[in-house]
Amino acid sequence: MEENRVREMVFSGDPKKMNWFREDFPYAEVKCPAEFSWKVSNSRQGDELVTEFIIKNEGRHSYFTNRGSIAISFPLADTYTEGEKCLDYRCHAHIFCGENTSYIMALRMGGEAPHFGMVLTEGSLSGYSVERDIKRSSNDRGCFWLHPSPKEFAPGEEMHISWKIFSHNGKEDFKKKAKKFSSVIWVEAERYVLYPGERTQVRIHPSFGVEEIFVNGEKAAVNCEGEAVYKFTAETLGEYILSIEAGGRKTRCRLLVQEHPKQLAEKRCKFIAEYQQYHGTIRELQGAYLAYDTEEKHQVYLPVHDFNAGRERMGMGVLMAKYLCMEGIKGHEKEEKSLLTYREYVLRELVDAKTGLVCDDAGRDQSCFRLYDYPWATTFFIECWRLWRQEDDLEIAYRTMKKFYQDGGYRFYPVETPVAALFQELKNAGKHEKMEEVKAMFQKHADHLLLAGTNYPAHEVNYEQSIVSPAANILLQVYEITGEEKYLDGGRKQLEVLELFNGFQPDYHLHEVAIRHWDGYWFGKRRLYGDTFPHYWSSQTGKAFRLYARLTGDPVYAKRAEDSLRGVLSMFFSDGTATCAYLFPYTVNGKPGEYADPYANDQDWGLWANLE
């Protein structure tokens, strides 16, 4: 096997000569039970690599495997170094382990072709795990381990797995090439997250000729093009897995029926007011919105950044104010009282109303200076201004944004910056001098983003979706308030890089959901690194798509925006609880995944984005 070992995958037409494989994990290694043997062979012709495995039960007894019994390494270069190197020599790996139809579409982070594709040609995969070097913290997604589907092995019985690797020119080209493989049943739904009463059509197109296609055991009509259209009506809330079979081959599509964002917000705000606001004896925390452990049923506070009483948790206040502004205070007096108490807490413990200074935690704690906090505080006070029309709130929003720029914000990539909102509210209030002042600040920021282009600076993570999404959102918002085409052009270029983080797999966890893979560790109870599908900041991509669609009338981006925004709604539950992240892999470093983390922490920004 050693002579046949593949150590790199470089496509001939690539001027950058990128190696798509990692150097610290071997390609096509197999982990299997001790009673088993395995062999691998690789054959390469040009830019195509075919890898074949024979996995055999050598024992004297039968052996029934489960999903994690066998794993095959697939070490793609999905890791974050400095921004420029990432764009040319690193990739986003979009994985679909859908039984007989399984594939990986890997996209160079900068978007330049050729890109990397893999399609399973024999066998069945039903999940993947991740092995990470935790010393690299948030900057490395790890090595992927693909899991063959469970199988009953008689003594001496073999399993055959094979796939083909090839180059492609991007998402549409990958889709076109994948559909030509004789092993593939291509599945696409109009919507993957639906509200009650909505309908979606699921198109099922086998690459091979069949007369019958079955969905959950029921025969679906096949048209003259060999395609079935399955019509799904959203009735009862919950997850729906469509098991699809054609010609003896199987795959699946996963849909979610979820409550409308307004209903989720109503239940969420009631829960926050009743269970996540502190009313205990500790003075400095009184009125704070805190994280909540949905397993142990208690509030969470630690003097650790991502579990403190400031930072991202301000999103609870933003959601509360937005919801009350939309629905009115009548009938929601308890929630308004909660919000008023929270506002008092923010001004007492986090924000200096006179200077715009934003502190990191209760007690006016400034031990950690964090520019991210300023736009979030600005957004909170804008939402309070919209709700109560108290001039102080608009003034504090203005001072906070001004302080952000005074303290170095012009070169920063802040997540969720209310450019158009602050400009418009100052205009509506007749504060034209301040309106022009913030407009100039926003333009200066946007001009820096234009100059930097795709030369992204490292932030808390070296390179991530929430570095690119701020660039896109700020540039598009500045175009909205100025009408200058250079900002629209710059925003469009950022979108081209931003959309590479999103996949199109037929699964509501993955479809138009941005790749993120560290938030479960920093914000969750389980403290586990690994792919978070979804994580709520994925909605920032949806917001950028939505704004671009509104500014240009582009229907494609309007559809993608809706899919992206709905993609985070699975983080909210009908009892008003929520999860800070869904850990998607089967395991991460051997620890079980596939769970919604028990902490309701910072995720409410995602629901708020769906209410705009």
Side-chain angles (χ1 to χ4, degrees):
M1 289 188 295
E2 186 66 29
E3 293 101 10
N4 202 27
R5 178 70 55 82
V6 174
R7 301 185 185 279
E8 66 177 17
M9 190 68 197
V10 178
F11 294 123
S12 60
D14 183 3
K16 307 289 185 181
K17 301 300 180 184
M18 172 182 171
N19 179 16
W20 290 81
F21 289 152
R22 302 171 63 102
E23 298 177 354
D24 54 344
F25 283 95
Y27 168 72
E29 290 284 316
V30 178
K31 296 178 182 179
C32 55
E35 298 89 341
F36 283 44
S37 66
W38 62 276
K39 297 179 181 179
V40 60
S41 63
N42 294 290
S43 59
R44 184 164 183 172
Q45 184 173 1
D47 283 341
E48 294 185 344
L49 172 66
V50 174
T51 301
E52 299 175 300
F53 302 87
I54 299 175
I55 301 167
K56 184 178 180 180
N57 177 12
E58 301 282 5
R60 294 188 298 112
H61 301 285
S62 298
Y63 198 113
F64 291 13
T65 61
N66 60 30
R67 222 166 9 130
S69 298
I70 302 172
I72 305 172
S73 65
F74 210 106
L76 285 168
D78 194 338
T79 182
Y80 299 147
T81 54
E82 60 273 14
E84 187 175 355
K85 188 173 182 179
C86 276
L87 296 182
D88 288 337
Y89 298 102
R90 299 293 183 265
C91 69
H92 301 300
H94 299 285
I95 304 171
F96 180 59
C97 294
E99 300 181 69
N100 299 128
T101 296
S102 296
Y103 54 79
I104 298 175
M105 177 186 66
L107 303 170
R108 195 194 308 260
M109 290 183 179
E112 184 179 351
H115 301 285
F116 177 105
M118 181 276 269
V119 171
L120 187 73
T121 53
E122 184 178 7
S124 177
L125 302 176
S126 57
Y128 72 92
S129 290
V130 173
E131 184 176 349
R132 296 176 66 125
D133 179 356
I134 60 174
K135 293 179 181 178
R136 296 189 181 186
S137 186
S138 305
N139 292 310
D140 182 34
R141 194 174 170 192
C143 176
F144 306 111
W145 290 85
L146 309 179
H147 296 303
S149 299
K151 176 178 168 55
E152 301 173 5
F153 284 85
E157 188 171 359
E158 297 178 344
M159 169 191 283
H160 290 247
I161 299 283
S162 64
W163 59 60
K164 179 181 283 189
I165 291 170
F166 55 93
S167 66
H168 63 91
N169 294 323
K171 291 183 180 181
E172 290 304 314
D173 189 47
F174 173 84
K175 188 185 301 185
K176 181 180 177 181
K177 289 183 175 180
K179 286 181 177 181
K180 293 181 179 179
F181 280 79
S182 60
S183 56
V184 167
I185 304 171
W186 195 263
V187 179
E188 290 180 296
E190 290 177 325
R191 286 266 185 249
Y192 292 89
V193 177
L194 299 99
Y195 305 138
E198 289 187 333
R199 296 180 178 182
T200 189
Q201 293 190 110
V202 181
R203 296 192 173 275
I204 305 164
H205 194 102
S207 59
F208 45 92
V210 293
E211 295 181 358
E212 295 181 329
I213 297 174
F214 296 89
V215 180
N216 290 343
E218 296 183 4
K219 187 185 294 186
V222 180
N223 62 26
C224 60
E225 296 179 353
E227 179 182 78
V229 179
Y230 179 78
K231 297 179 180 179
F232 177 86
T233 300
E235 296 176 351
T236 306
L237 299 178
E239 178 182 275
Y240 292 83
I241 299 176
L242 306 183
S243 297
I244 298 164
E245 184 173 357
R249 305 187 67 83
K250 297 180 180 180
T251 191
R252 64 175 178 267
C253 177
R254 185 152 56 170
L255 309 175
L256 178 70
V257 179
Q258 177 62 291
E259 291 181 287
H260 192 278
K262 288 184 180 180
Q263 293 174 301
L264 289 172
E266 179 180 14
K267 295 177 180 180
R268 181 77 187 118
C269 288
K270 287 180 179 179
F271 188 92
I272 291 170
E274 187 168 355
Y275 296 104
Q276 292 193 239
Q277 188 164 44
Y278 182 78
H279 297 292
T281 59
I282 301 172
R283 165 66 178 167
E284 68 179 23
L285 292 178
Q286 287 177 1
Y289 288 149
L290 301 177
Y292 186 84
D293 186 329
T294 61
E295 282 184 330
E296 300 181 22
K297 313 298 183 186
H298 62 74
Q299 294 174 3
V300 176
Y301 173 83
L302 296 170
V304 178
H305 300 316
D306 299 314
F307 304 102
N308 70 15
R311 293 192 168 210
E312 285 89 342
R313 280 147 298 285
M314 197 171 285
M316 285 184 268
V318 170
L319 174 66
M320 188 78 77
K322 180 69 173 183
Y323 175 72
L324 290 173
C325 189
M326 292 177 64
E327 295 300 303
I329 293 171
K330 187 176 181 181
H332 301 98
E333 289 81 6
K334 185 180 291 186
E335 288 83 357
E336 185 195 24
K337 182 180 178 181
S338 171
L339 181 62
L340 285 166
T341 303
Y342 180 67
R343 181 182 178 278
E344 291 174 6
Y345 161 78
V346 169
L347 289 173
R348 186 183 73 242
E349 304 291 341
L350 297 178
V351 175
D352 187 322
K354 294 182 179 179
T355 66
L357 173 71
V358 181
C359 299
D360 200 60
D361 195 7
R364 294 290 179 98
D365 185 350
Q366 300 179 50
S367 59
C368 179
F369 176 70
R370 194 173 187 242
L371 279 170
Y372 285 112
D373 299 338
Y374 284 79
W376 298 338
T378 303
T379 301
F380 172 68
F381 284 104
I382 290 173
E383 293 292 7
C384 288
W385 152 255
R386 287 171 169 171
L387 174 62
W388 291 308
R389 290 299 179 188
Q390 296 295 317
E391 189 170 337
D392 282 353
D393 288 322
L394 186 57
E395 287 294 324
I396 296 169
Y398 157 75
R399 294 187 201 114
T400 304
M401 202 74 247
K402 187 174 181 179
K403 180 68 172 171
F404 168 77
Y405 285 117
Q406 288 174 346
D407 289 348
Y410 291 112
R411 294 182 176 273
F412 195 68
Y413 290 63
V415 185
E416 187 48 55
T417 306
V419 172
L422 181 57
F423 174 85
Q424 191 62 48
E425 295 304 332
L426 289 169
K427 181 179 180 180
N428 293 342
K431 297 178 180 293
H432 296 290
E433 184 176 336
K434 291 178 179 176
M435 177 195 75
E436 292 298 331
E437 185 181 2
V438 299
K439 179 182 177 182
M441 291 190 295
F442 290 138
Q443 281 190 271
K444 182 177 178 180
H445 193 176
D447 287 339
H448 173 74
L449 297 176
L450 283 178
L451 184 64
T454 56
N455 186 22
Y456 304 105
H459 283 59
E460 291 179 346
V461 180
N462 285 342
Y463 179 69
E464 55 173 317
Q465 172 255 357
S466 51
I467 292 176
V468 184
S469 60
N473 274 302
I474 290 170
L475 286 167
L476 292 174
Q477 288 183 85
V478 172
Y479 169 72
E480 185 177 19
I481 68 175
T482 66
E484 293 188 34
E485 289 290 331
K486 65 178 181 179
Y487 300 119
L488 180 62
D489 292 339
R492 185 183 295 112
K493 291 175 182 177
Q494 295 295 332
L495 286 185
E496 292 172 358
V497 179
L498 180 61
E499 65 186 23
L500 299 170
F501 287 89
N502 287 22
F504 51 49
Q505 302 96 309
D507 185 326
Y508 72 87
H509 283 285
L510 304 170
H511 189 84
E512 289 294 0
V513 172
I515 291 174
R516 296 180 68 90
H517 48 81
W518 56 90
D519 302 283
Y521 175 83
W522 295 108
F523 295 91
K525 180 179 182 178
R526 298 284 187 263
R527 303 305 301 271
L528 188 64
Y529 282 112
D531 297 352
T532 51
F533 292 133
H535 180 266
Y536 68 91
W537 280 140
S538 177
S539 64
Q540 287 294 298
T541 297
K543 288 192 68 176
F545 289 171
R546 180 174 61 191
L547 179 54
Y548 183 77
R550 181 161 59 80
L551 294 173
T552 64
D554 190 320
V556 174
Y557 274 100
K559 169 66 166 58
R560 296 183 65 189
E562 186 70 13
D563 288 342
S564 177
L565 288 164
R566 291 191 186 200
V568 304
L569 293 179
S570 62
M571 303 179 74
F572 303 92
F573 309 116
S574 295
D575 62 356
T577 60
T579 176
C580 62
Y582 185 89
L583 272 291
F584 187 83
Y586 181 69
T587 66
V588 179
N589 285 0
K591 295 182 179 180
E594 298 184 329
Y595 66 87
D597 192 274
Y599 277 0
N601 189 342
D602 53 331
Q603 65 292 311
D604 295 288
W605 293 98
L607 183 51
W608 170 77
N610 274 273
L611 295 178
E612 287 194 292

